[in-house]
Structure formats: C-alpha cells, structure tokens
Amino acid sequence: MTPFRIGIIGMGALLASSGCSEQPRKAPRTEQEIHADDSGDVSGAPGRHPYRCDDNRPLLIDFKDEGLTLELRRDTGTVPVVLTAPAPGLQYVGDTMSATFTGNEIKIEEGDKRPVLCRKATNL
C-alpha cells in the first residue's frame, strides 16, 4: 500500500470517529423542553399542561417540537393558536400574539389587549 493510500485511510478513520460522538449539552434543558416530554393533564396527552390565567380562565398548552412550538387553547374542543420560538428560551410568536415564559408562568400578549399572565396549574 502506498503512503498516499495509508494517509487517506487514516484521515477517513479520523473523520468517521470524530463525527460519530455525541456532543454534550451546553445548557440544562429548558422548562419548555421538559414539558414537551411529559404530561400534566388528566388526558395524559404528551406535552399537554393546564394553566390558570389571571383572568381566572383555564388555558391548555401543548408543548410540541421539543418545546419550540406551543398550541394554546381555552379547552380541548377549540382550535389552538400556534406559536413558535426559534430556539429554547426565546419568545414565542404567532400571527396575532406572542408569549414569554418565566419559570412556571407564561405572559401572553395580543395586539392592544392587556397582557395575560398564566401560571402552571396542578389540575383544572
């Protein structure tokens, strides 16, 4: 075998071994990533969690796409409002509203309406 072929085989092995190892997480999982995997609702739907808002109304939040997508609805029979975030920990935005998490609270802002603050509920 020529030195050139040995060099190519060695470089290929080095690239293959370095590309296969999984990189460690740089930051702990966000609240949203955690909620995307579990359920806090009696339905047991993955990623579904009940919240109670400061207007005393319930809110169901379905965490999708590893927590980067939220589906917001007042009850299970309504069509959800979908919000997305470009990365974990950033603001969620949709066509007419936005939402920001702080711990177990979500602040929802929509147009000229006053912001609504909702807190994670243990059960509704």
Side-chain angles (χ1 to χ4, degrees), residues 50-60 73-75 78 97 106 108 110 113-114 116-121 124:
Y51 281 72
R52 176 67 63 183
C53 300
D54 61 5
D55 61 3
N56 206 28
R57 294 174 57 194
L59 178 70
L60 286 175
R73 65 183 94 221
R74 289 297 178 173
D75 61 56
T78 60
M97 70 174 53
I106 183 170
I108 301 169
E110 184 175 14
K113 298 178 183 177
R114 75 168 189 81
V116 176
L117 187 64
C118 304
R119 180 172 295 223
K120 187 175 174 188
L124 290 174

Side-chain angles (χ1 to χ4, degrees), residues 18-87:
S18 67
C20 292
S21 64
E22 187 174 324
Q23 297 296 318
R25 289 187 59 90
K26 291 182 172 69
R29 292 179 70 192
T30 65
E31 192 81 11
Q32 295 79 18
E33 289 172 315
I34 293 167
H35 292 324
D37 294 333
D38 66 3
S39 178
D41 185 55
V42 294
S43 71
R48 178 167 290 172
H49 292 273
Y51 281 72
R52 176 67 63 183
C53 300
D54 61 5
D55 61 3
N56 206 28
R57 294 174 57 194
L59 178 70
L60 286 175
I61 300 180
D62 289 326
F63 294 85
K64 307 280 185 173
D65 188 27
E66 297 181 4
L68 296 178
T69 300
L70 300 179
E71 292 182 356
L72 308 176
R73 65 183 94 221
R74 289 297 178 173
D75 61 56
T76 56
T78 60
V79 176
V81 173
V82 179
L83 306 176
T84 59

